[in-house]
């Protein structure tokens, strides 16, 4: 994980944490393991929740049918390369003063890179689009815990944020705009 500025990091990062039923995690390695276990617990449903198998099957069948239909009736509008104007509009939507992801590329760099950067981004995004791929590193995030209030050793008193690639977000902004426009015309 990337280190944030030392002053912010020291204010937000607890010296130790304790997950209920576990010993106090003091060392850096123990804290990393405790945070990983805590995040996993957050994503695990309670054992008594009943999964609706009928809903799952209906949703799976709907998705498979939609996929078949989409291949039969390929939308030429979604398949065309991105334009300069689309990239410029997406760049206008990205916000200032956001922490970069693990690649270190900030929104400010993207917004103020000028025409040479615009041309390079357009070429990159259209190459990814033509190959139908998404860079694996754009799917990685640096997770940072921000202290809210209460006992500092309780991981429930922190809000987790994921710092993802600003370049990946820009690419996804292009797709979100295109898909939104498509959905509104259907």
């Amino acid at each position: 994980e990337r280190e944030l500025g030392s002053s912010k990091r020291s204010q937000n990062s607890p010296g130790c944490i304790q997950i209920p039923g576990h010993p106090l995690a003091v060392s850096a390695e123990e804290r990393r393991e405790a945070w990983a276990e805590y995040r996993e617990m957050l994503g695990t449903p309670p054992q008594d929740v009943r999964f609706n198998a009928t809903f799952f099957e209906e949703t799976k069948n709907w998705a498979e049918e939609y996929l078949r239909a989409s291949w039969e009736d390929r939308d030429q509008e979604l398949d065309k390369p991105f334009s300069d104007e689309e990239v410029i509009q997406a760049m206008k939507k990205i916000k200032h003063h956001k922490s970069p992801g693990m690649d270190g590329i900030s929104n400010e760099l993207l917004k103020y890179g000028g025409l040479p950067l615009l041309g390079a981004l357009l070429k990159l995004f259209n190459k990814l689009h033509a190959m139908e791929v998404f860079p694996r590193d754009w799917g990685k995030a640096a997770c940072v815990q921000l202290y809210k209030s209460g006992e500092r050793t309780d991981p429930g008193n922190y809000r987790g944020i994921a710092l993802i690639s600003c370049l990946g977000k820009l690419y996804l902004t292009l797709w979100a705009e295109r898909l939104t426009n498509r959905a509104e015309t259907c």
Side-chain angles (χ1 to χ4, degrees):
E1 292 184 9
R2 260 179 46 134
E3 290 276 318
L4 294 178
S6 60
S7 62
K8 283 187 176 183
R9 182 121 178 111
S10 62
Q11 290 171 1
N12 293 327
S13 199
C16 53
I17 65 165
Q18 185 164 26
I19 296 173
H22 292 76
L24 189 64
V26 178
S27 72
E29 182 62 28
E30 289 171 339
R31 289 193 317 263
R32 271 192 296 276
E33 289 174 12
W35 277 116
E37 186 173 335
Y38 182 72
R39 286 186 201 112
E40 189 173 322
M41 285 174 23
L42 290 175
T44 305
Q47 296 301 320
D48 61 350
V49 172
R50 299 195 199 310
F51 185 74
N52 187 331
T54 304
F55 175 75
F56 174 78
E57 282 302 316
E58 288 172 356
T59 304
K60 183 176 142 199
N61 292 339
W62 175 84
E64 288 171 354
E65 179 56 35
Y66 181 80
L67 185 59
R68 268 192 300 280
S70 69
W71 277 106
E72 292 168 3
D73 183 29
R74 299 237 3 186
D75 186 339
Q76 298 302 315
E77 198 64 23
L78 291 178
D79 290 336
K80 71 179 184 177
F82 293 111
S83 68
D84 286 343
E85 187 58 32
E86 284 178 292
V87 176
I88 290 168
Q89 289 305 313
M91 286 177 148
K92 287 179 180 178
K93 291 183 178 184
I94 60 179
K95 297 179 180 168
H96 293 276
H97 311 296
K98 296 292 181 181
S99 295
M102 294 168 59
D103 58 12
I105 297 172
S106 68
N107 282 345
E108 286 79 7
L109 176 86
L110 296 173
K111 282 181 94 71
Y112 303 114
L115 289 177
L117 181 61
L118 174 65
L121 290 174
L122 185 62
K123 187 174 182 177
L124 171 65
F125 293 156
N126 281 326
K127 182 74 170 177
L128 295 172
H129 178 25
M131 295 174 61
E132 297 184 354
V133 296
F134 189 82
R136 181 173 289 149
D137 284 350
W138 290 359
K140 293 180 181 175
C143 296
V144 179
Q145 307 304 323
L146 299 178
Y147 174 71
K148 296 185 294 188
S149 64
E151 179 59 43
R152 286 188 174 268
T153 59
D154 180 358
N157 291 331
Y158 290 80
R159 177 173 58 93
I161 61 167
L163 304 177
I164 63 173
S165 169
C166 293
L167 192 54
K169 283 191 279 189
L170 179 61
Y171 183 63
L172 292 176
T173 299
L174 288 169
W175 276 111
E177 184 66 25
R178 203 174 259 195
L179 290 170
T180 299
N181 291 340
R182 173 71 175 125
E184 288 174 352
T185 61
C186 289

